[in-house]
Amino acid sequence: MSTHELEPTADWSQLYIDGEWCDASSDETIAVENPSKREAFTSVPAASEADVDAAYEAAEAAQPAWAETPRDERTEIVQNLRSQLNDHYDEITTLLATEAGTPSYRATAEFATATGDVEMALNLEAPDEEVRQSPSIPDKDNHVIYEPVGVVGIISPWNFPLHLSLRALAPAIALGNTVVLKPATDTPITGGLLIAKLCELAGVPDGVVNVVTGRGSAIGDRFVEHPAARVISFTGSTAVGKDVAGQAGRTLAQPALELGGNAPFIVTDEADLEKAARAGAFGSFFHQGQVCISINRHLVHESLYDEYVDLLVEHARSLTVGDPSEDDRVTFGPVQNEAQRDDLIEYVEATLEAGATLETGGDAEGLFVEPTVLSGCTNEMAAACNEHFGPIAPVIPFSDDQEALELANDTEYGLSAAIQCEDETRARELADGIDAGMVHINDQPINEDHNAPFGGVKQSGLGRYHGEWIVDELTEPKWISVQHDERDYLIFE
Ligand code: NAP
């Protein structure tokens, strides 16, 4: 396999284990489709449990030497990875458009966030060794050092494949861990094999990054329960994430879980209406709504309700729909797969049956689901209470802040939220009342900043990404004490 080819039609037929491109142990392959055309453009191997074992063995064998590698040498290699990303911008964004139906502006945004993941990893420092006197044992010094956890298993979803794989992989290797990565079956290249090629080009040592492509239903159990994995970094649905956490518990691997969301977007009577509607439309329709932190419910004060719905409809109709792999001007592409489309149409139909009004959209052609606005909604309707994960905007009225908060918090999820209110003191009181890991005032909920903790509460996950928070996930503190004067153990005469 040539590592220098990164086009959609390049050779993607092998797994990357221990620095080698190798055939999977079975001949089974998985077709990779362009969701706009609904045609396969290549195929990848369907790894077996034996391949998963081989990948973990390679990662486990490589980890001690990688952890011992001086920090500046590791940093140089991570810098090379950043350079490889930058050198291959065109190929990477083409792959995102082809494999993930990503409009050009969004591919650029994902590329920037992914390079930001690597940049952040370059700046991460496990805390220096801390030395403290023991307050409870006389003449003892406590040294606390931070060691890499060891091998990190990473499972990523299809909606931001490059970014969500690198978000865990880059800090893991920068901190001296080694990695086995399983990308989603819909995006095995941009979430996995592409990253392997870039790591190889960057000179990442053999075994430090290993990539296995294969269905979660076939290899997921072995992947999560492999005894070599010390952290399982899982980004995906809450249903699968809960099973993963249970399985990780069997080997006491630490689960780091970034799961589903149902973001409320509160538009108060003190919102700048036009600004709020633009933010609301972006938050619902960016990447066809396939973002864990996209707006799932628009909660709008009754005094602005009708005008807000009209503006949202106007914005929904103004999107340029098309095949992002053919046209850079497209701002709205297909959803990723048929199951996704079918769920979305069912949510819309059930919501209309429950009494909502269809303002625009509501239909699909191929995998192109129309940007959809539903008015007259309640929190109990299907498009509101489920994480719909698509371009559907149910709009729910409220009459005061207390009701807005009750509606916002009436969900099992707690990932992201946003509030539009020009009075920042009032907005802050609302933000404090929302049960979510992230709340954005006078913005919409799709935000990611490498200097801020990313993650959710309730059924949206465990742990946080970025900065010092990811250092906590990927290192173990170790206590070494030094007793300077002999202790009195009290049991001897
Ligand atoms: P998913 O079905 O849970 O899949 C996520 C990953 O888990 C895929 O790689 C999948 O592999 C794998 N998987 C499936 N079954 C498995 C099993 N039994 N054991 C181990 N791994 C298994 O989620 P998705 O549909 O790809 O992504 C959408 C979901 O992800 C949404 O709920 C969204 O909110 C969430 N998400 C959360 C964040 C966040 O940061 N909180 C970010 C993005 C997405 P296959 O593809 O082979 O099935």
Side-chain angles (χ1 to χ4, degrees):
M1 179 186 262
S2 166
T3 53
H4 300 281
E5 290 178 11
L6 300 176
E7 296 78 31
T9 51
D11 182 1
W12 301 103
S13 65
Q14 290 180 304
L15 307 173
Y16 188 66
I17 298 176
D18 205 11
E20 299 286 336
W21 290 100
C22 50
D23 292 331
S25 55
S26 93
D27 292 339
E28 202 196 328
T29 59
I30 298 173
V32 188
E33 288 189 4
N34 177 331
S36 298
K37 301 187 191 316
R38 303 182 73 192
E39 283 168 6
F41 61 90
T42 190
S43 63
V44 297
S48 66
E49 292 189 346
D51 300 315
V52 171
D53 286 350
Y56 271 114
E57 277 157 27
E60 196 172 23
Q63 201 274 328
W66 180 239
E68 292 285 308
T69 303
R71 171 78 201 196
D72 53 350
E73 282 176 40
R74 288 207 308 261
T75 300
E76 200 180 316
I77 288 169
V78 179
Q79 273 164 348
N80 293 345
L81 178 57
R82 178 185 55 185
S83 304
Q84 289 301 329
L85 278 159
N86 287 328
D87 290 350
H88 295 287
Y89 171 84
D90 288 342
E91 293 103 313
I92 293 169
T93 49
T94 299
L95 276 167
L96 284 168
T98 309
E99 189 182 49
T102 303
S104 142
Y105 79 101
R106 197 199 75 82
T108 304
E110 178 161 1
F111 180 87
T113 315
T115 47
D117 294 327
V118 180
E119 193 75 44
M120 174 205 64
L122 283 169
N123 297 320
L124 284 182
E125 284 289 349
D128 286 337
E129 180 170 327
E130 296 166 18
V131 186
R132 302 176 194 167
Q133 279 195 326
S134 168
S136 49
I137 307 171
D139 300 317
K140 185 184 283 295
D141 282 340
N142 288 329
H143 299 242
V144 182
I145 59 171
Y146 294 82
E147 296 186 327
V149 290
V151 178
V152 180
I154 301 172
I155 300 176
S156 60
W158 46 259
N159 65 326
F160 281 79
L162 179 72
H163 158 49
L164 294 174
S165 293
L166 282 175
R167 178 169 81 172
L169 183 147
I173 64 170
L175 291 166
N177 301 287
T178 56
V179 158
V180 182
L181 166 64
K182 190 209 96 58
T185 296
D186 281 331
T187 51
I189 297 173
T190 48
L193 296 174
L194 163 69
I195 294 169
K197 285 195 181 188
L198 295 172
C199 286
E200 188 183 28
L201 289 167
V204 173
D206 297 351
V208 171
V209 170
N210 306 274
V211 177
V212 287
T213 53
R215 292 194 175 82
S217 52
I219 58 170
D221 291 355
R222 185 65 185 158
F223 191 96
V224 176
E225 291 181 10
H226 196 284
R230 299 320 307 139
V231 167
I232 295 290
S233 165
F234 175 87
T235 307
S237 62
T238 295
V240 177
K242 282 180 167 177
D243 287 345
V244 163
Q247 288 171 304
R250 288 189 202 131
T251 55
L252 290 186
Q254 178 75 30
L257 304 174
E258 293 295 338
L259 309 178
N262 181 335
F265 179 63
I266 299 179
V267 180
T268 67
D269 52 349
E270 285 187 282
D272 173 331
L273 179 64
E274 297 201 348
K275 188 172 89 179
R278 276 193 297 277
F282 176 88
S284 265
F285 303 130
F286 174 70
H287 194 35
Q288 298 81 254
Q290 302 171 118
V291 191
C292 54
I293 46 180
S294 63
I295 299 173
N296 207 83
R297 293 169 292 148
H298 298 246
L299 309 179
V300 181
H301 191 267
E302 57 197 10
S303 64
L304 305 176
Y305 188 86
D306 291 341
E307 282 176 279
Y308 181 84
V309 168
D310 289 348
L311 286 170
L312 205 53
V313 168
E314 212 177 282
H315 292 313
R317 290 184 179 150
S318 73
L319 297 165
T320 308
V321 181
D323 176 352
S325 64
E326 297 281 350
D327 187 347
D328 276 356
R329 290 163 306 171
V330 163
T331 55
F332 189 90
V335 298
Q336 186 68 47
N337 56 46
E338 283 178 21
Q340 179 73 358
R341 176 203 58 200
D342 295 348
D343 282 353
L344 289 166
I345 296 303
E346 271 178 39
Y347 288 140
V348 172
E349 285 171 356
T351 304
L352 294 177
E353 273 165 32
T357 302
L358 182 64
E359 298 284 347
T360 190
D363 212 347
E365 196 179 323
L367 295 184
F368 290 87
V369 176
E370 293 172 342
T372 298
V373 177
L374 300 166
S375 65
C377 296
T378 66
N379 234 15
E380 292 70 39
M381 292 179 177
C385 63
N386 293 291
E387 183 196 29
H388 56 65
F389 214 56
I392 308 177
V395 193
I396 301 170
F398 68 84
S399 56
D400 59 32
D401 287 3
Q402 185 56 34
E403 188 186 7
L405 279 181
E406 282 167 15
L407 288 167
N409 289 333
D410 182 18
T411 165
E412 62 178 327
Y413 297 105
L415 193 55
S416 191
I419 298 156
Q420 290 282 330
C421 180
E422 293 301 303
D423 176 347
E424 288 183 9
T425 307
R426 179 177 162 204
R428 178 55 202 266
E429 278 169 21
L430 279 165
D432 287 342
I434 294 181
D435 297 334
M438 304 171 281
V439 185
H440 303 288
I441 293 170
N442 288 330
D443 198 353
Q444 45 69 48
I446 305 176
N447 276 273
E448 191 152 1
D449 183 329
H450 291 97
N451 293 315
F454 187 102
V457 298
K458 302 201 292 192
Q459 301 298 299
S460 289
L462 282 178
R464 294 290 184 277
Y465 276 82
H466 303 327
E468 66 217 69
W469 303 280
I470 192 68
V471 174
D472 279 352
E473 304 281 337
L474 297 173
T475 59
E476 296 277 18
K478 180 172 178 179
W479 173 28
I480 298 175
S481 81
V482 181
Q483 183 67 36
H484 297 297
D485 289 326
E486 188 177 1
R487 291 178 67 179
D488 180 357
Y489 293 109
L490 301 174
I491 59 168
F492 305 111
E493 288 295 311

